[in-house]
């Protein structure tokens, strides 16, 4: 196998700086309470912890009130809310002084249209298809129902109702705009000039109408807004627009003359003529496949990379792009030594495309791989069967996913499927199959079943003459076979297979393939991770992005094979066990994995709890699936208060879409669900039993978390720590996992480690120091021995012997080797002890960094892990021994 990616040795860094050693990243969610200055003040702590790269959420200008930064409105500017250019200089200067580099999250797929600071989109709304920015956005200007205009599904009610109630009106607000709730929309220049004709600002409006260049339009629009903000013309114009507001028919005529169609937000589930991020109407797709658009949207990021201010980028939602490989080739050619990572969700058995010039992924697959080691397969099977018996639901995750995909395709994502049907109809007609071309229903069944049958997020056919490589051909063929077995139209499926598996003509055929691939990503995400994951809580910890809830357990051999492959192909891929996208923190999941080891007992407990709480169920609330999810969440996050638990359950129920959803919210159900949560936590009998159960699980769960942490810190790749998780952190899905981190406390605890060994950290009144100790110790080792863990580092799995050998995960790193990791798995089942289990260490003398003991030869697991749950061994002295 050949290694893929950029040049080795890390990024170049600022002029005169040595190459960056990619030891470890620390993910930070920037926003309110954590701007550039706040982060700069915390860098001494991160440097002391051993971090080499600060991994930042998006830093470009996002929409007003953004809590995450993925809703960029101006990619040419640094976020003013985070501190702007001056704040970024402060941060990068502090990072350089501490020997740290930055890794930035970039968002090429979409931009927000919910903020008028998106001047490109504002000009499209003003000018329409003739705007120089019209080609920046993925709009179908030839949509049969919305030709030459763009949909604006922003209203909370039908337009006629909004006009009658006055909730849509003209207003003076930084110019003359259409106001509808929190939203503001511009008037076309022609409409504005006509409306203001005869007023004191009519001449300015006329010059704006006739302006040829966009810069002149922006300047004149700003001048007009300034005149109306404080000048004498404001009262005159307000009097004029109030007259229009009092006449709904006149206002309706004015709206009909705009370059956008203002509609109820629910219309987006029926008709929509632009690509969006999943089903979020305010995030419009950006056409970075156009080199002009790519250069414009990436100019600021390019400058940061060129200046050495940042070492690399994490590309958000790479699968949303029309041609991912071409995008990545441009980024690699433009920045040959930068660290280039992609947010890519890999399906079971899937690898990154070999032709992608990237350094790896953001580590979702590692979280599933490492977590799966701690799921007992027999216990998992029992949990699955008992859950199905208790709820009456199918125990087959594939069946649940199928129904979820069907639902999202018939509801919120229906316009995307309609687009594919029209495109495939055009392909059919071009090939002379007029009967099929005229039968949209048949085409729809074939397209729908293919999208359900595809078991990965998408395929990667980017040019008309490209045919899929063998693994991709097999996936397409398997998807077509599943689609046929499920009743998809045979002729349609044959046509889909033909255009996917053979070279095709440019134009409608290739356009269909490219759009099909972009769409399959959305169907997979919304149908699987955002719906089916919440409907299948047999073991909720297994329902994470990058995982396979239907087969979540991972054996040790599979884990080792994946590590060897990563070292060979992508040794600088990120390794994550918690991210901003995980639905539960690593510590919550570590506790829940133990349920697979006590599966029968858990089934009996939940049966008893259901009986206890039957009187609390009103109108079948929360429902059998949500009840199981609720019980697991209580145990995983305990202690948890009613507000946090209610917020999580409302989100979970809305994602599951069985009784309530974001598109069709059921307020009565949500209120009853909140009442059920409060009653549950007020039940002393229940909370006492939960408390006792969690007390029993606490130490095994913490040992499991430490084991996952050490695997992340020492396996091939670069370990990523999500903010705050260097201590125990029992958080749930966002926004719960984006709460401010108490860094002052972490600084104090880190200082308390000086002179403290692992056994003291593990055996003290609180064990939170143990995780911090482990992370600092492992990162110090990675810095001391960079070759053992870097691009050229060796990986060798080690096998234990004895009664509990299958409970050991061990491997050696580096030539010689130089370091050894030893972790327990299925920890709850080890309560009987290790028996005669032992591990033969590679030749030479070793120091266990967890307790400073010297080791060598064959070691007993009972002795090695007596005082600390995991072992990290470093070769004593500088010499390397033989095998």
């Amino acid at each position: 196998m050949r290694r893929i990616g950029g040049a080795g040795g890390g990024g170049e860094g600022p002029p005169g700086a040595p190459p960056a050693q990619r030891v470890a990243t620390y993910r930070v969610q920037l926003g309110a309470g954590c701007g550039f200055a706040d982060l700069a003040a915390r860098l001494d702590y991160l440097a002391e912890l051993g971090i080499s790269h600060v991994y930042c959420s998006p830093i470009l200008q996002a929409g007003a009130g953004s809590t995450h930064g993925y809703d960029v409105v101006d990619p040419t500017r640094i976020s003013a809310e985070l501190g702007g250019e001056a704040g970024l200089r402060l941060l990068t200067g502090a990072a350089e002084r501490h020997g740290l580099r930055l890794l930035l999250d970039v968002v090429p797929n979409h931009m927000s249209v919910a903020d008028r600071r998106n001047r490109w989109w504002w000009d499209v709304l003003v000018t329409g298809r003739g705007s120089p920015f019209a080609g920046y956005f993925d709009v179908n200007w030839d949509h049969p129902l919305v030709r030459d205009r763009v949909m604006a599904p922003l209203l909370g009610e039908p337009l006629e109702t909004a006009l009658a109630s006055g909730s849509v009106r003209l207003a003076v607000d930084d110019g003359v705009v259409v106001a509808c709730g929190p939203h503001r929309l511009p008037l076309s220049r022609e409409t504005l000039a006509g409306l203001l004709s005869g007023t004191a600002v009519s001449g300015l409006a006329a010059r704006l109408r006739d302006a040829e260049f966009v810069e002149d339009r922006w300047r004149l629009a700003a001048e007009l807004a300034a005149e109306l903000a404080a000048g004498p013309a404001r009262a005159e114009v307000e009097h004029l627009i109030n007259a229009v507001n009092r006449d709904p028919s006149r206002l309706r005529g004015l709206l009909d003359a705009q370059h956008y169609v203002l509609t109820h937000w629910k219309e987006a589930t029926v008709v929509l003529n632009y690509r969006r991020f999943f089903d979020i109407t305010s995030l419009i797709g950006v056409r970075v496949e156009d080199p002009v658009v790519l250069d414009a949207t990436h100019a600021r990021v390019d400058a940061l990379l060129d200046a050495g201010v940042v070492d690399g980028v994490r590309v958000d939602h790479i699968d949303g792009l029309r041609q991912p490989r071409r995008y990545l080739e441009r980024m690699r050619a433009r920045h040959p030594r930068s660290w280039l990572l992609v947010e890519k969700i890999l399906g079971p058995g899937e690898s990154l495309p070999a032709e992608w010039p990237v350094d790896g992924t953001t580590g979702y697959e590692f979280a599933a791989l490492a977590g799966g080691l701690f799921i007992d397969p027999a216990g998992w099977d029992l949990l699955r069967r008992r859950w199905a018996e208790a709820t009456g639901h199918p125990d087959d995750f594939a069946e649940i996913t199928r129904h979820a995909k069907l639902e999202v395709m018939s509801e919120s994502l229906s316009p995307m499927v309609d687009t594919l049907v029209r495109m495939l109809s055009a392909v059919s007609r071009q090939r002379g199959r007029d009967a099929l071309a005229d039968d949209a229903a048949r085409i729809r069944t074939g397209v729908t079943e293919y999208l359900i049958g595809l078991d990965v997020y998408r395929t990667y056919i980017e040019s008309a003459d490209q045919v899929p490589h063998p693994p991709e051909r097999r996936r397409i063929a398997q998807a077509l076979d599943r689609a046929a077995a499920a009743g998809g139209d045979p002729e349609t499926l044959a046509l889909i297979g033909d255009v996917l598996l053979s070279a095709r003509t440019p134009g409608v055929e290739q356009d269909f393939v490219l759009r099909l691939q972009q769409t399959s990503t959305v169907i997979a995400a919304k149908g699987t991770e955002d719906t089916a994951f919440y409907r299948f809580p047999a073991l909720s910890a297994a329902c994470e992005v990058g995982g396979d809830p239907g087969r979540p357990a991972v054996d040790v051999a599979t884990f080792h094979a994946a590590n060897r492959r990563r070292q060979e192909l992508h040794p600088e891929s990120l390794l994550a066990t918690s991210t901003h996208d995980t639905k539960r923190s690593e510590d919550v999941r570590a506790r829940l994995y133990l349920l697979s080891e006590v599966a029968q007992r858990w089934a009996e407990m939940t049966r008893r709890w259901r009986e206890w709480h039957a009187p609390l169920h009103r109108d079948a609330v929360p429902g059998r699936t949500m009840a199981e999810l609720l019980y697991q969440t209580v145990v995983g996050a305990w202690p948890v208060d009613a507000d946090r638990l209610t917020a999580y359950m409302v989100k979970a129920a809305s994602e599951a879409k069985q009784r309530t959803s974001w598109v069709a919210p059921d307020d009565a159900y949500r209120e009853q669900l909140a009442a059920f949560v409060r009653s549950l936590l007020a039940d002393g009998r229940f909370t006492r039993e939960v408390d006792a159960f969690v007390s029993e699980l606490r130490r095994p769960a913490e040992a499991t978390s430490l084991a996952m942490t050490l695997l992340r810190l020492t396996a091939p790749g670069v370990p990523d720590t999500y903010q705050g998780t260097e201590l125990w952190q029992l958080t749930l899905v966002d926004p719960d996992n984006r709460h401010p981190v108490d860094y002052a406390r972490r600084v104090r605890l880190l200082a308390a480690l000086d002179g403290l060994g692992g056994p003291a950290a593990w055996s003290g009144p609180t064990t939170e120091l143990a995780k911090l100790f482990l992370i600092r110790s492992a990162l110090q080792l990675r810095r001391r021995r960079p070759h053992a863990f870097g691009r050229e580092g060796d990986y060798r799995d080690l096998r234990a012997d004895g009664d509990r050998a299958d409970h050991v995960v061990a491997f050696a790193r580096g030539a010689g080797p130089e370091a050894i990791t030893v972790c327990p798995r299925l920890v709850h089942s080890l309560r009987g002890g290790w028996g005669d289990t032992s591990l033969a260490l590679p030749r030479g003398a070793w120091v266990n960094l967890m307790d400073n003991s010297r080791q060598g030869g064959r070691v007993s697991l009972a002795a090695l892990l007596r005082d600390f749950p995991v072992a990290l061994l470093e070769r004593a002295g500088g010499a390397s021994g033989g095998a």
Side-chain angles (χ1 to χ4, degrees):
M1 292 185 287
R2 63 188 184 90
R3 179 165 292 157
I4 308 299
E12 296 180 7
Q21 184 184 346
R22 292 165 183 163
V23 176
T25 63
Y26 187 93
R27 170 68 182 209
V28 176
Q29 293 299 119
L30 296 165
C34 186
F36 296 139
D38 302 297
L39 179 55
R42 296 164 185 162
L43 295 186
D44 55 346
Y45 162 73
L46 297 181
E48 177 64 23
L49 185 60
I51 300 300
S52 64
H53 287 68
V54 183
Y55 170 19
C56 297
S57 60
I59 66 169
L60 300 179
Q61 185 60 58
S66 175
T67 60
H68 45 72
Y70 291 95
D71 46 352
V72 173
V73 295
D74 187 349
T76 69
R77 292 175 51 229
I78 300 299
S79 168
E81 290 81 357
L82 298 180
E85 295 284 353
L88 182 60
R89 286 194 297 273
L90 174 69
L91 173 62
T92 55
E96 187 173 353
R97 288 193 299 275
H98 286 93
L100 299 171
R101 303 295 301 283
L102 301 184
L103 174 66
L104 295 187
D105 203 336
V106 298
V107 190
N109 177 73
H110 54 268
M111 290 175 65
S112 172
V113 296
D115 190 316
R116 67 195 302 169
R117 287 181 293 179
N118 186 339
R119 297 202 296 174
W120 297 345
W121 181 247
W122 193 263
D123 194 72
V124 171
L125 296 179
V126 169
T127 310
R129 196 170 189 171
S131 167
F133 304 109
Y136 281 36
F137 302 102
D138 203 345
V139 178
N140 179 9
W141 295 99
D142 296 312
H143 192 287
L145 300 178
V146 202
R147 195 173 299 276
D148 290 325
R149 300 173 77 193
V150 64
M151 294 282 289
L154 302 173
L155 301 178
E157 56 193 350
L159 178 59
E160 295 302 327
T161 305
L163 289 169
S165 68
S167 59
V168 172
R169 68 191 193 285
L170 296 182
V172 177
D173 183 357
D174 199 21
V176 179
V177 297
V178 177
C180 44
H183 304 289
R184 299 293 181 267
L185 297 170
L187 295 174
S188 72
R189 288 178 288 138
E190 296 77 12
T191 298
L192 187 62
L195 181 67
L196 299 181
S197 176
T199 68
V201 291
S202 61
L204 186 53
R207 294 204 307 277
L208 175 58
R209 177 196 60 203
D210 299 334
E212 180 179 357
F213 299 108
V214 68
E215 292 81 3
D216 292 334
R217 295 202 295 268
W218 288 345
R219 175 179 54 81
L220 291 167
E223 290 179 15
L224 179 58
E227 285 289 330
L228 295 178
R234 182 182 182 103
E236 180 185 19
V237 171
E238 285 186 334
H239 178 76
L240 176 65
I241 66 174
N242 285 337
V244 176
N245 289 335
R246 289 192 295 270
D247 186 347
S249 62
R250 184 180 175 191
L251 182 55
R252 174 61 189 260
L254 182 147
L255 291 173
D256 287 343
Q258 302 314 300
H259 295 290
Y260 51 82
V261 181
L262 186 59
T263 66
H264 189 193
W265 66 268
K266 287 188 177 181
E267 284 292 311
T269 66
V270 181
V271 178
L272 193 66
N273 69 327
Y274 62 85
R275 181 174 63 86
R276 55 188 170 169
F277 174 65
F278 295 166
D279 57 358
I280 303 175
T281 305
S282 62
L283 297 178
I284 190 169
V286 177
R287 299 184 61 252
V288 291
E289 63 269 17
D290 182 333
V292 172
V293 179
L294 179 54
D295 287 345
T297 55
H298 284 58
R300 193 69 194 89
V301 171
D302 285 340
L304 293 173
L305 288 166
D306 289 343
V309 172
V310 299
D311 186 35
V313 294
R314 174 256 200 201
V315 181
D316 180 65
H317 192 45
I318 188 67
D319 277 350
L321 304 189
R322 185 173 173 90
Q323 293 167 309
R325 174 178 53 80
R326 291 188 184 182
Y327 170 86
L328 295 168
E329 287 172 346
R330 182 268 188 197
M331 292 295 288
R332 179 56 75 200
R334 187 75 171 75
H335 309 288
R337 297 194 67 193
S338 292
W339 199 4
L340 185 55
L341 301 165
V342 291
E343 185 205 24
K344 165 61 189 165
I345 300 170
L346 296 168
E350 184 185 16
S351 301
L352 283 176
E355 62 272 17
W356 282 10
V358 299
D359 294 300
T361 73
T362 53
Y364 295 150
E365 70 283 355
F366 181 80
L369 185 74
L373 285 171
F374 302 94
I375 298 175
D376 183 278
W380 147 247
D381 188 61
L382 181 60
L383 288 174
R384 176 183 59 81
R385 288 186 283 109
R386 291 291 183 266
W387 171 77
E389 291 167 5
T391 62
H393 295 313
D395 64 359
D396 182 359
F397 181 70
E399 183 177 350
I400 289 173
T401 301
R402 170 181 172 76
H403 289 295
K405 286 185 175 182
L406 279 170
E407 287 179 28
V408 298
M409 282 192 279
S410 65
E411 295 173 0
S412 62
L413 303 182
S414 179
M416 301 185 78
V417 180
D418 291 341
T419 296
L420 292 176
V421 170
R422 286 193 301 272
M423 296 179 80
L424 192 56
S425 175
V427 171
S428 182
R429 197 172 303 283
Q430 179 175 278
R431 293 195 173 198
R433 302 180 185 180
D434 290 346
L436 179 61
D438 292 333
D439 196 336
R442 286 174 58 199
I443 294 176
R444 192 177 187 93
T445 65
V447 168
T448 297
E449 292 299 342
Y450 173 78
L451 290 170
I452 293 172
L454 191 65
D455 63 356
V456 291
Y457 272 58
R458 61 167 289 169
T459 54
Y460 298 96
I461 304 166
E462 297 200 9
S463 59
D465 60 353
Q466 179 184 349
V467 295
H469 55 71
E472 200 163 56
R473 291 184 69 87
R474 286 194 295 273
R475 290 193 183 278
I476 293 170
Q478 290 166 355
L480 291 167
D481 288 344
R482 295 186 194 106
D489 177 68
E491 189 176 358
T492 300
L493 293 174
L495 181 58
I496 292 173
D498 195 30
V499 296
L500 286 175
L501 297 172
S502 308
R504 63 214 65 81
T505 60
V508 294
E509 291 188 4
Q510 180 62 8
D511 286 347
F512 168 76
V513 169
L514 294 172
R515 183 64 72 181
L516 177 69
Q517 294 177 139
Q518 284 179 293
T519 303
S520 70
T521 294
V522 180
I523 304 305
K526 295 305 296 180
T528 306
E529 68 187 76
D530 285 351
T531 305
F533 276 11
Y534 288 94
R535 295 182 178 184
F536 190 67
L539 181 61
S540 59
C543 294
E544 290 287 351
V545 175
D548 181 5
R551 294 181 297 274
V554 172
D555 60 44
V556 176
T558 299
F559 178 76
H560 287 313
N563 284 343
R564 286 192 294 270
R565 181 175 177 81
R566 191 183 318 105
Q567 181 64 37
E568 176 68 24
L569 297 179
H570 298 108
E572 291 186 330
S573 188
L574 285 191
L575 307 177
T577 45
S578 286
T579 74
H580 65 283
D581 280 327
T582 45
K583 302 186 189 304
R584 297 155 199 86
S585 71
E586 60 202 47
D587 296 323
V588 171
R589 297 199 315 276
R591 193 180 284 177
L592 292 176
Y593 291 147
L594 299 177
L595 299 184
S596 70
E597 298 185 65
V598 292
Q600 183 59 42
R601 184 176 168 197
W602 176 252
E604 292 167 358
M605 288 177 69
T606 52
R607 177 188 54 76
R608 183 165 61 253
W609 292 345
R610 286 192 300 271
E611 292 173 356
W612 287 356
H613 299 138
L616 301 178
H617 290 257
R618 297 182 180 87
D619 300 323
V621 175
R624 291 169 291 183
T625 296
M626 287 298 105
E628 176 65 30
L629 181 59
L630 175 56
Y631 290 139
Q632 289 192 28
T633 303
V634 168
V635 168
W638 189 260
V640 59
D641 61 46
D643 289 343
R644 284 183 60 215
L645 189 56
T646 298
Y648 170 78
M649 289 306 302
V650 168
K651 178 166 185 172
S654 300
E655 297 285 12
K657 306 174 187 64
Q658 293 172 311
R659 296 287 298 277
T660 186
S661 70
W662 305 120
V663 175
D666 185 333
D667 291 338
Y669 173 83
R670 292 179 176 186
E671 290 171 4
Q672 289 178 292
L673 177 59
F676 184 86
V677 168
R678 288 193 297 271
S679 298
L680 199 72
L681 296 183
D683 179 359
R685 178 176 52 170
F686 170 70
T687 57
R688 284 191 298 273
E689 185 156 307
V690 168
D691 197 58
F693 184 53
V694 170
S695 294
E696 175 192 325
L697 298 182
R698 185 175 67 86
R699 293 286 276 187
E702 290 172 352
T704 296
S705 180
L706 292 174
M708 278 198 296
T709 299
L710 183 56
L711 295 176
R712 182 183 83 236
L713 293 168
T714 56
V718 179
D720 173 46
T721 297
Y722 182 69
Q723 61 175 29
T725 60
E726 63 270 30
L727 299 181
W728 308 131
Q729 186 152 293
L730 300 172
T731 51
L732 303 170
V733 74
D734 70 280
D736 193 62
N737 64 2
R738 295 181 182 179
H739 288 168
V741 176
D742 185 350
Y743 284 104
R745 179 165 173 264
R746 283 161 173 76
V747 168
R748 292 194 302 271
L749 291 173
L750 189 62
L753 286 180
D754 292 340
L756 190 71
W762 175 244
S763 62
T766 173
T767 58
E768 61 189 352
L769 283 174
K771 198 174 185 185
L772 198 63
F773 169 83
L774 174 60
I775 292 172
R776 188 174 73 166
S777 299
L779 296 187
Q780 288 173 341
L781 174 63
R782 289 181 70 103
R783 284 190 178 276
R784 286 196 301 272
R785 297 182 179 265
H787 296 295
F789 296 97
R791 297 179 68 89
E792 305 306 324
D794 286 344
Y795 180 90
R796 185 197 315 175
D797 55 288
L798 302 176
R799 300 178 186 277
D801 298 301
D803 297 338
R804 301 298 183 90
D806 59 340
H807 286 261
V808 181
V809 186
F811 53 82
R813 299 302 314 275
E818 300 176 55
I820 297 172
T821 288
V822 183
C823 292
R825 61 187 289 261
L826 305 178
V827 177
H828 193 277
S829 306
L830 283 170
R831 290 196 161 191
W834 283 102
D836 64 351
T837 309
S838 64
L839 180 69
L841 300 180
R843 191 171 60 195
W846 298 88
V847 176
N848 183 0
L849 301 179
M850 298 297 95
D851 60 9
N852 208 34
S853 63
R854 295 184 68 85
Q855 304 288 340
R858 180 170 291 279
V859 297
S860 158
L861 265 293
L864 183 66
L865 304 182
R866 180 183 58 218
D867 297 323
F868 199 82
V870 300
L872 177 59
L873 283 66
E874 182 179 16
R875 183 173 291 282
S880 296

